[in-house]
């Protein structure tokens, strides 16, 4: 593999990933989707158009790592520790600020609260744009899976 699995991401590569990730249709596809390989294949193709040679697995790993680090810093900020920071925090905050976060503290005995269950099972009325070559998530199946996990 040309890009190398262990090759560190340059600042320009991360900026390109954030640029693609910040697109509304990408954010909608990534939100709440567990089977997201097709989305990351699409993201990798988009990055190649921008001159970044990364495969879908590398894109997915970087996405997960950035998201984890962002949530860690955000939690620290919400707890009063403003000394904790990370590069690209403000870019990620613009992307992830409105993404709902499920908190374990809101669960009782491994079950979702009634409000969370309603949020998870309520049908969406907005039209989600499906990316070319990416299978649209089947919302009914996801709801049944959530119900099976939490009931």
């Amino acid at each position: 593999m040309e890009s190398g699995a262990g090759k560190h991401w340059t600042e320009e590569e991360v900026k390109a990933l954030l640029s693609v990730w910040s697109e509304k249709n990408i954010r909608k596809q990534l939100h709440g989707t567990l089977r997201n390989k097709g989305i990351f294949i699409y993201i990798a193709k988009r990055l190649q158009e921008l001159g970044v040679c990364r495969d879908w697995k590398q894109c997915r790993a970087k996405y997960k790592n950035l998201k984890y680090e962002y949530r860690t810093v955000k939690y620290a900020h919400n707890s009063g520790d403003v000394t904790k920071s990370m590069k690209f925090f403000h870019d990620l905050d613009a992307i992830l600020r409105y993404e709902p976060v499920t908190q374990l503290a809101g669960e009782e005995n491994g079950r979702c609260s009634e409000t969370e269950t309603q949020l998870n099972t309520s049908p969406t009325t907005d039209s989600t744009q499906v990316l070319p070559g990416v299978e649209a998530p089947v919302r009914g199946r996801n709801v049944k899976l959530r119900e099976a996990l939490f009931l």
Side-chain angles (χ1 to χ4, degrees):
M1 177 186 299
E2 257 185 87
S3 58
K7 182 182 170 199
H8 292 283
W9 286 67
T10 66
E11 188 169 326
E12 291 76 25
E13 289 175 321
V14 175
K15 285 180 181 179
L17 176 63
L18 291 173
S19 168
V20 174
W21 184 3
S22 68
E23 296 172 11
K24 190 174 184 175
N25 61 339
I26 299 285
R27 287 194 326 261
K28 280 186 174 183
Q29 290 290 314
L30 286 172
H31 176 68
T33 306
L34 297 175
R35 295 183 183 190
N36 51 22
K37 177 180 176 180
I39 299 165
F40 284 104
I41 289 172
Y42 178 79
I43 290 172
K45 286 179 184 176
R46 289 288 313 282
L47 288 177
Q48 285 180 349
E49 294 169 5
L50 298 172
V52 177
C53 186
R54 296 289 182 163
D55 65 22
W56 73 270
K57 288 181 182 179
Q58 291 171 314
C59 293
R60 184 169 174 251
K62 189 63 176 177
Y63 162 85
K64 284 181 157 189
N65 290 336
L66 285 169
K67 198 170 177 178
Y68 175 80
E69 190 175 358
Y70 165 79
R71 286 186 173 160
T72 303
V73 172
K74 187 75 170 180
Y75 179 78
H77 287 187
N78 291 342
S79 300
D81 181 7
V82 293
T83 61
K84 191 135 177 112
S85 66
M86 69 174 283
K87 205 170 196 174
F88 307 112
F89 177 81
H90 295 293
D91 298 314
L92 285 163
D93 195 45
I95 295 169
L96 298 172
R97 180 180 318 143
Y98 302 110
E99 185 175 290
V101 177
T102 304
Q103 295 184 358
L104 295 177
E107 296 181 3
E108 300 174 27
N109 300 327
R111 295 176 185 255
C112 284
S113 68
E114 186 177 334
T115 307
E116 287 176 312
T117 304
Q118 288 173 351
L119 288 173
N120 288 337
T121 59
S122 63
T124 2
T125 55
D126 69 332
S127 58
T128 302
Q129 179 183 357
V130 178
L131 302 173
V134 178
E135 184 178 316
V138 179
R139 297 204 187 276
R141 232 184 340 189
N142 291 343
V143 170
K144 289 179 184 171
L145 177 60
R146 284 187 190 119
E147 288 173 352
L149 290 173
F150 292 114
L151 294 180

